[in-house]
Amino acid sequence: MTRDTWGRVKEQLKASVGQNNFSAWIEPLEFSDLSDGVLTFLVPSVFMGNWVDRYFRDSILHEVNASGQSARRLAFEVRETANEAESPAAPAEEAPRPARAADPAAEAQARSLSAFAQTGAKLDEKFTFSSFVVGKPNELAHAAARRVAEGGPVSFNPLFLYGGVGLGKTHLMHAIAWELKERSPEKRVLYLSAEKFMYRFVQALRDRDMMGFKELFRSVDVLIVDDIQFIAGKDSTQEEFFHTFNALVDLRKQVILSADCAPGDIEGMEHRIVSRLQSGLVVDLHPTSYELRLGILQSKCDYFGQQFPGVQIGDGVLELLAHRITGNVRVLEGALTRLYAHGSFMHREIDVDLAQECLRDLLRTSDVRITVDEIQRKVADHFNIRLSDLLGPKRNRVYARPRQIAMYLAKALTDRSLPDIARRFGGRDHTTIMHGIKKIDQLRIEDRQIEEDIAMLRRALGGQDAQA
Ligand code: ADP
Ligand code: MG
């Protein structure tokens, strides 16, 4: 293949992967060689090669083969940059292999170990306790995970972790498995998704090897099953899971489970299973807070900083992300990845403007629309008064001041008109609202406490000014 052919293939890829992906991942690939079915590119970093291989391999191979070339796999070589001194790689030392014992018991053992290895899912090297950032929303789950990972006497069984998508359930489960493997290498720790559990179960049924299946699962010391909501409603899998689970708990072997909601809320899960699940320790991961998101971003920056040396993230960028991307942590990471990628291709610092430009789609969808209703509730909470008093007629300052602050915030953070806001404050006259706003405008200058209250409420509401 020539560079020209690659150029044409690239055009096809632009259509199939989309402009954004194209400029982030395909454009920077430098064609180097195609021989023996191996298509080699020069890339700026190992990270980028891994990424492209993981997400765009199929598209690339498809287009290359469609152009009449023949490629089976991709290879990547990191392009050397002038300022990077190459560190010689240590020669891989091969561990001396023990001579195979030829006795049947050892062979049976080896067979069972290999079935074991095939059943468990690969653990992600990045998902360890040291890379897990702890904050208020996840501290309980983290503490419970730590406790289980110590591998002491089983004190709660099962440990049941639940929470929304991307809040760190899988990360914690892998961390437990890593830690256990390190502390007690002799223990058999099996981690797999509920989907894989079902797959193995169906396979055992098909191969008429239920004995093997049961033996395998009952021989583990620690069983970790991720996303068990998956088997809800799948009756026979659920049944088998229940037996396995009971058997292990009876043997006092630790079981750790996760789901996207509390045991009682998993639809289609049998009642007796639910109550068994609830009999251990059930902890949830709460949605992330601003502080936790910022902490996670800072820690990811340490990692990305090594992958993309030379990329600078400007002041305020992480704050922008933590503020505006409030959903799952995976999206937050995706945003950061994209910023680093852009930074490394464009050779310039990522400042707030560039970040906004480059993440426009993400920032837009996570824009929260604040409602007057929400403001009123938060303000009442903040000042510890009842919502009915905030909206009611009492003129005492304990109520009147928070009421005016709520009016002020309603004007600043929503695009409601004054008459509209007035209606939502118990049908007051809009001049009352105007007066309230003026009052707060003035007090903000004189009274630091009020200024602080407002700042705190704005943060709690995740507010951007409506007119901004
Ligand atoms: P879940 O299984 O709950 O859907 P994951 O464990 O897969 O979520 O987490 C999604 C991504 O977010 C992972 O890359 C994970 O490393 C990261 N993540 C989530 N919570 C944290 C945290 N507290 N600290 C560091 N990374 C986190
Ligand atoms: Mg998960």
Side-chain angles (χ1 to χ4, degrees), residues 97-110:
R97 230 174 274 169
R100 257 284 184 68
D103 74 277
E107 277 192 7
Q109 168 87 358

Side-chain angles (χ1 to χ4, degrees), residues 53-213:
D53 197 43
R54 186 153 161 204
Y55 295 106
F56 301 108
R57 180 184 50 220
D58 293 345
S59 312
I60 294 174
L61 290 178
H62 177 81
E63 293 301 343
V64 168
N65 288 314
S67 77
Q69 311 286 324
S70 153
R72 275 177 293 104
R73 67 182 185 87
L74 306 183
F76 298 91
E77 278 168 21
V78 177
R79 198 162 36 220
E80 302 227 1
T81 50
N83 54 2
E84 255 176 1
E86 215 201 336
S87 59
E93 243 175 76
E94 208 163 300
R97 230 174 274 169
R100 257 284 184 68
D103 74 277
E107 277 192 7
Q109 168 87 358
R111 223 180 15 252
S112 120
L113 277 177
S114 108
F116 183 77
Q118 281 167 23
T119 301
K122 203 162 170 292
L123 297 174
D124 191 317
E125 277 165 28
K126 294 195 298 300
F127 292 177
T128 59
F129 280 120
S130 61
S131 65
F132 191 82
V133 181
V134 185
K136 264 260 164 325
N138 60 24
E139 63 181 346
L140 220 62
H142 172 259
R146 278 275 191 192
R147 165 63 78 79
V148 167
E150 283 167 13
V154 175
S155 42
F156 31 78
N157 214 0
L159 168 62
F160 190 99
L161 299 172
Y162 77 92
V165 188
L167 296 183
K169 301 181 294 295
T170 300
H171 189 135
L172 276 181
M173 292 178 121
H174 285 217
I176 295 173
W178 282 124
E179 183 87 8
L180 283 168
K181 276 170 188 276
E182 173 142 349
R183 283 176 185 251
S184 354
E186 76 289 352
K187 275 199 179 153
R188 298 178 126 208
V189 180
L190 185 61
Y191 166 89
L192 78 172
S193 63
E195 189 176 1
K196 186 89 183 272
F197 180 89
M198 176 164 116
Y199 171 79
R200 289 289 307 195
F201 174 64
V202 171
Q203 192 183 38
L205 284 177
R206 193 190 55 210
D207 300 346
R208 297 174 200 281
D209 184 27
M210 277 314 291
M211 277 308 288
F213 179 87

Side-chain angles (χ1 to χ4, degrees), residues 374-420:
E374 233 174 306
I375 293 172
Q376 292 169 338
R377 270 185 282 121
K378 274 265 168 17
V379 171
D381 263 7
H382 181 82
F383 291 100
N384 221 353
I385 62 176
R386 273 200 290 261
L387 187 59
S388 56
D389 286 333
L390 183 87
L391 301 180
K394 291 185 187 162
R395 287 161 159 261
N396 189 322
R397 188 184 288 179
V398 193
Y399 307 113
R401 199 64 88 223
R403 188 180 299 137
Q404 288 169 333
I405 289 180
M407 292 171 179
Y408 174 87
L409 288 172
K411 183 66 192 138
L413 303 179
T414 73
D415 40 25
R416 299 272 172 205
S417 66
L418 285 181
D420 202 358

